[in-house]
Amino acid sequence: MRTQHKNQANEGRFRLNRREFIKLTGAGLFVFFTVGKLPSAPDEAMAQELPTDFNAFLHIGEDGRVACYSGKIEMGQGIVTSLAMMLADELNVPLDNVDMVLGDTDVCPWDRGTFGSLTTRVFGPALLQAAAEARAALLTLASEELGVPEDRLEARDGTVFVQGDPSKSVTYAALTKGKRIERTASGPARLEDPSEYTIMNRPQLRMDAHAKVTGAAQYAGDMRLPGMLYACILREPAHGARLVSVDVSKAEAVEGVRVIRDGDMVAVLHPQWDVAAAALDLVQAEYERQDNVRLDDTSIFDHLVQAAPDGQTLASGGDLKAGKDAAQLHTETTFLDGYVAHAPIEPHTATVHVEGDRVTVWPSSQTPFPAQEQVAQVLGIPKENVRVISPFLGGGFGGKTRNLQVVEAARLSKLAGAPVQVAWSRSDEFFHDSFRPAAVVTINSGASKDGDITYWDFGVYFAGNRGAEHFYAIPHHKTTSYGSWRAASKAHPFAVGAWRAPANNTNTFARESQIEIMAAKAGVDPLEFRLRNLSDDRMRAVLKAAAEKFGWQEAPSPSGKGRGIACGIDADTFVATIAEVDVDQSTGRVTVKRVVCAQDMGLCVNPAGAVIQMEGCITMGLGYTLSEEVHFTGGAVEDRNFDTYELPRFSWLPKIETIILDKPDEPPHGGGEPAIITVGGAVANAIFDACGARVLQLPMTPARVKEALDRKA
C-alpha cells in the first residue's frame, strides 16, 4: 500500500483542482460515493454541509492499483491501514495494491474533518458499498470479456475467474484498460458476507509503521522550502490581555531577522528557528490584563455552577418522587473535574507558501477543508486558490480543529513574501490550544436495601452530553445538561473544546463512582450490583468478559483487594474496565498495577490496530485520572510545559490486558476513544476498594487521595 505522504513539498508546486485532477486520471473505473449526514462537528463554525454529489471516491487504474481519495487525515489512529483493509477485502484485491490519498483539498472531495471516531463507523460502511459497486461493475465487464454469465464468475486478488475453470480469467487492470467508466455508489450492490472476508477481522501491522519508526514519515514541521522563514510569535501573558506598547528594536538589530507586525500579531522571522526564537526574547512588550484574576483552578467549580445556563433535559422517565419514596438508601454526590490539555507529541504547526493569489498549506490539522476556507478568508482570495496537503499528524485528540497556527502562517507568508513555518513552542501549545473543560456533575440517586436502583437524577455542568445518559434499568430517572464545550461561553477563562471522547470521561467517572457508592451502601459486590441493574446484553457481555479475564472474586467494597470496575458506551462501542491498584496511605500515591479492558466494537476491522488504540486509551487515561490538570489564574495559564504538567510515564504503566468481543456480523463501531472513558471511574473505585477513601475530584493526585483518607479517618 502506498500513501500520498511522499514528496509533498514538491507536490505543492503544481496547481490542480479536483475536477481537473479527475480528468487527468485518464482511464479506469471510478466509483463516487457519499457517507451521508454526519454528526455535528467539534466546532459549530464548521457549518458547511456535506456535498450532495460525493465526498470520496475510489479509482481502479489501468495498472491494477486501487486508490481511495478522502478528506480524512491520519493522526495515529490507523485509518490509513484499516480503510485500505476494508477496501481491499470488499473489492477482492491484494492489500498491497491499495493507495490511500488523504486530506489533499485539490484532489480529495470535501470532508468536514477527522474526529469523533466517525471514520470507521460512518465512512467505512460507505467505502464498503462503493467497493461492492466497483466489484459488481468489474464482474459485468468480465462477463462481456469472457462470454460467461456473471453468476459463474468470482473475483480474487484483482482477477476475475470462471468458476471451475481458473485458466479462464481476466485482471481488473485489463478490464479497465483504455476505458473510462464512472459510477456512483447507489446501494444495491451486494456486500460480501462476513464469512467471505479474508483481510478484515485479522490482525494487520500498520502500513505506515516503517515510515514512522525510520523517520521517513513527513509532518508539517518537516517541510522545507527554498527561502522559507521560521516565525516565532509574541504571545500575551494572559488570555484577554491587550497589547499596550511594544519595542522590537533590539530584535530587528539581529542580523537577518525580520519583524512583522500585523494588527494584534507581532512576529519575528529568520531562516533559522533558534535565531528567531532568541530574537523574540529581545522584544519588550507591555500588556494590560483584563481577565478575572480571582478565578483559578480552585474557584472555577462554584463559578461554573453559578454561570451555567438553563438545563437541557437529555433523558427522563418515570417519576423521580416515586423513585425517592421507594428507596431506602439515598446518595447525593458532587463530582469535580479540572481543565486538561491535549498535549500532543507534535505541537500545532503549519508551513504555508503564498505565491501571488495562490497558496499551498501543509498543516497539522484534523480539518484540512475548514483550514482551506479559513486561509482563503483571511487572505481575501477564493478558497479554490488554496491547496491544503495533509501530512501525518503527531496526535490530535480533538485539539487540532481550529487551525489558528495555519492562519498565522498564512498571514505571515503573505506579508513576508516567502514561505513561512509556524511551529508552536510547547509553551505556545499550552497557552493557545483549547482545553477539555472543567466540569461539575451532581448525582442524586437511591436504591432499595437489596440493591435495586429506584431513581437517578444526573446533572452535568459544562462537560457536555456525551456519556451523560445512563444505560442502567432505572424506573425513575432524569439526565440534565447545563452548558457544553460546544457552545461558546464566557464562563471559561480560555478556549475549551473536544478532548478524546469529549465529556464521556467526566460523565463516566461520575456515574460509575456513584454506582459503586450505592453498591457499597447496599453491601453488594460491585459487579453483582451492576448486573442486577442492567438489562442490556452488550453491556452485560463486556462486564462478564472483563470479570472472567480479571478473575473477579465476589466481595462488597471496600474489600482491601484494590480493584474497581467502570463501564460505558462511546462511539457505539461498549466497554468495561477493571483496574487493580495499590495505595500508599502515607503519601496518597496510587500505583495502577493491572488493567483489564473488554470491548464490543462490532466488526473489528484490524484487531492489531484496535488493541493499540485500547492500550493507548488506557495509557492516556492514566493522565486525566492521576495527574493532568491545568492550573491558572484568570486568563494566565500557569502550566506551560511538562515540568509542572505531568503526563503518564512508562514507569507508571500497569499490565494491560485487552479483550475484543468477536462480532463479525455486526457493523463496525468506533475504536479510538472508548477505552479511555472508563479509566477514571475504574481507578477511583479501585482506590476506594483498597482503602475505603472515596475521591470525588479528578485528577486523583496524591494530595487529594490523602485528603480523602484523612476525611475517612
Side-chain angles (χ1 to χ4, degrees):
M1 187 190 72
R2 297 183 303 207
T3 74
Q4 71 152 28
H5 302 98
K6 295 180 178 180
N7 302 318
Q8 289 162 318
N10 292 329
E11 288 178 4
R13 291 167 179 266
F14 67 83
R15 182 60 43 190
L16 204 62
N17 65 38
R18 177 156 53 95
R19 294 190 182 281
E20 291 168 338
F21 169 78
I22 292 173
K23 288 179 183 176
L24 290 177
T25 49
L29 170 62
F30 296 82
V31 178
F32 306 99
F33 63 101
T34 182
V35 298
K37 185 173 177 58
L38 288 172
S40 299
D43 188 331
E44 296 300 326
M46 300 174 195
Q48 180 173 339
E49 295 296 325
L50 291 171
T52 55
D53 51 357
F54 62 94
N55 54 15
F57 68 95
L58 60 87
H59 171 228
I60 303 171
E62 292 180 295
D63 59 357
R65 296 203 65 81
V66 182
C68 177
Y69 294 84
S70 165
K72 301 296 182 188
I73 58 92
E74 172 64 58
M75 55 182 164
Q77 77 278 41
I79 63 169
V80 77
T81 303
S82 58
L83 290 179
M85 291 172 68
M86 299 176 85
L87 176 54
D89 215 339
E90 190 64 47
L91 192 55
N92 299 134
V93 298
L95 181 57
D96 287 344
N97 276 22
V98 176
D99 302 321
M100 297 300 301
V101 182
L102 303 176
D104 186 327
T105 57
D106 262 18
V107 300
C108 299
W110 191 89
D111 188 278
R112 190 188 301 271
T114 306
F115 43 75
S117 294
L118 296 170
T119 302
T120 300
R121 61 183 169 127
V122 178
F123 183 85
L127 176 61
L128 288 176
Q129 192 60 55
E133 197 92 22
R135 178 167 42 82
L138 289 162
L139 286 171
T140 300
L141 291 172
S143 175
E144 296 167 357
E145 177 75 16
L146 299 172
V148 176
E150 289 182 37
D151 60 3
R152 289 187 53 202
L153 299 175
E154 64 178 271
R156 187 171 66 250
D157 294 333
T159 301
V160 180
F161 298 89
V162 177
Q163 293 175 0
D165 188 359
S167 65
K168 293 182 178 178
S169 64
V170 59
T171 65
Y172 288 176
L175 289 171
T176 58
K177 194 172 185 61
K179 303 185 182 76
R180 182 178 177 87
I181 307 153
E182 295 187 6
R183 298 288 175 89
T184 299
S186 52
R190 184 189 76 84
L191 291 170
E192 287 198 325
D193 186 87
S195 63
E196 299 175 85
Y197 293 156
T198 58
I199 299 174
M200 284 191 284
N201 207 25
R202 290 168 169 76
Q204 173 68 43
L205 293 177
R206 291 181 57 126
M207 310 302 282
D208 54 354
H210 185 269
K212 289 185 173 176
V213 299
T214 59
Q218 295 283 290
Y219 296 82
D222 292 322
M223 299 305 154
R224 298 291 182 270
L225 300 172
M228 188 181 83
L229 300 174
Y230 295 91
C232 294
I233 300 173
L234 185 68
R235 305 295 184 189
E236 61 271 34
H239 290 278
R242 184 178 68 86
L243 182 62
V244 176
S245 64
V246 61
D247 181 356
V248 299
S249 57
K250 292 182 180 177
E252 287 179 321
V254 178
E255 184 178 357
V257 161
R258 296 177 62 182
V259 176
I260 291 178
R261 182 167 183 181
D262 182 36
D264 60 341
M265 180 167 63
V266 178
V268 177
L269 295 85
H270 190 272
Q272 300 296 325
W273 180 87
D274 54 343
V275 177
L280 180 66
D281 289 340
L282 300 175
V283 175
Q284 296 179 321
E286 181 183 354
Y287 285 89
E288 179 184 36
R289 287 185 64 170
Q290 300 174 325
D291 49 318
N292 179 6
V293 296
R294 290 178 297 179
L295 195 62
D296 60 21
D297 42 278
T298 300
S299 61
I300 186 67
F301 302 108
D302 287 341
H303 166 78
L304 290 177
V305 173
Q306 293 167 6
D310 292 340
Q312 173 193 3
T313 301
L314 303 180
S316 64
D319 180 348
L320 284 177
K321 183 177 183 306
K324 290 179 181 177
D325 292 343
Q328 286 87 48
L329 305 171
H330 299 269
T331 303
E332 186 168 3
T333 317
T334 298
F335 299 91
L336 309 178
D337 200 357
Y339 293 98
V340 175
H342 294 99
I345 293 174
E346 175 204 31
H348 285 64
T349 303
T351 303
V352 177
H353 192 189
V354 178
E355 300 172 276
D357 65 347
R358 300 284 186 175
V359 184
T360 307
V361 181
W362 295 266
S364 56
S365 171
Q366 295 176 235
T367 53
F369 282 88
Q372 178 195 38
E373 294 164 14
Q374 290 164 306
V375 170
Q377 184 176 14
V378 75
L379 298 183
I381 59 176
K383 69 178 182 181
E384 290 75 17
N385 289 14
V386 179
R387 182 183 186 185
V388 176
I389 303 172
S390 296
F392 287 116
L393 266 69
F397 315 119
K400 291 179 177 172
T401 59
R402 298 190 300 156
N403 302 313
L404 300 182
Q405 87 285 11
V406 176
V407 172
E408 290 174 341
R411 291 169 64 188
L412 290 170
S413 178
K414 181 178 181 180
L415 292 167
V420 169
Q421 183 174 107
V422 171
W424 285 2
S425 67
R426 187 55 65 183
S427 178
D428 291 344
E429 184 74 22
F430 271 100
F431 184 75
H432 267 295
D433 190 13
S434 59
F435 297 118
R436 189 192 72 177
V440 178
V441 177
T442 61
I443 310 178
N444 188 2
S445 62
S448 71
K449 59 181 174 55
D450 296 325
D452 295 319
I453 305 175
T454 62
Y455 74 96
W456 180 267
D457 189 1
F458 184 103
V460 54
Y461 295 80
F462 286 103
N465 301 346
R466 191 158 154 181
E469 296 181 37
H470 72 83
F471 39 79
Y472 292 96
I474 303 174
H476 309 288
H477 63 96
K478 183 178 182 182
T479 301
T480 309
S481 175
Y482 304 87
S484 169
W485 58 269
R486 289 184 182 278
S489 171
K490 295 182 179 178
H492 301 286
F494 28 62
V496 299
W499 195 93
R500 198 172 190 175
N504 213 339
N505 301 303
T506 301
N507 288 323
T508 298
F509 160 70
R511 182 190 61 248
E512 294 302 299
S513 294
Q514 183 82 351
I515 288 292
E516 292 222 0
I517 293 171
M518 298 169 67
K521 279 191 175 181
V524 177
D525 171 78
L527 174 63
E528 171 57 28
F529 186 86
R530 285 181 172 83
L531 294 175
R532 186 184 184 99
N533 288 283
L534 274 172
S535 57
D536 190 295
D537 289 339
R538 292 181 68 191
M539 190 60 77
R540 292 175 65 88
V542 291
L543 276 167
K544 290 180 178 178
E548 182 180 357
K549 182 76 171 179
F550 185 83
W552 186 268
Q553 295 180 337
E554 185 174 329
S557 291
S559 70
K561 299 177 186 293
R563 78 271 160 91
I565 304 173
C567 53
I569 306 169
D570 191 82
D572 300 328
T573 288
F574 285 58
V575 58
T577 297
I578 301 177
E580 182 179 358
V581 306
D582 266 345
V583 180
D584 184 333
Q585 299 196 30
S586 65
T587 64
R589 184 164 295 281
V590 175
T591 301
V592 182
K593 301 186 325 185
R594 185 185 177 202
V595 173
V596 174
C597 183
Q599 254 184 206
D600 173 357
M601 55 192 301
L603 166 67
C604 183
V605 176
N606 182 8
V611 167
I612 291 171
Q613 289 300 307
M614 294 173 73
E615 292 174 343
C617 279
I618 292 165
T619 302
M620 187 173 178
L622 292 176
Y624 83 75
T625 297
L626 296 176
S627 62
E628 290 187 54
E629 180 177 28
V630 175
H631 300 91
F632 63 95
T633 302
V637 179
E638 295 171 4
D639 298 300
R640 304 294 287 265
N641 212 324
F642 297 124
D643 53 342
T644 59
Y645 189 88
E646 192 171 16
L647 293 176
R649 305 181 184 198
F650 283 118
S651 60
W652 295 11
L653 291 188
K655 179 182 180 182
I656 298 175
E657 298 162 79
T658 59
I659 306 157
I660 298 174
L661 274 60
D662 190 24
K663 297 289 186 72
D665 296 325
E666 299 294 328
H669 303 305
E673 301 174 284
I676 196 171
I677 68 171
T678 46
V679 178
V683 172
N685 292 331
I687 292 171
F688 177 79
D689 189 58
C691 62
R694 174 59 64 181
V695 187
L696 303 177
Q697 181 174 353
L698 291 175
M700 294 177 285
T701 61
R704 290 188 179 124
V705 174
K706 190 71 170 60
E707 183 182 337
L709 283 163
D710 293 343
R711 271 202 315 271
K712 170 200 149 196

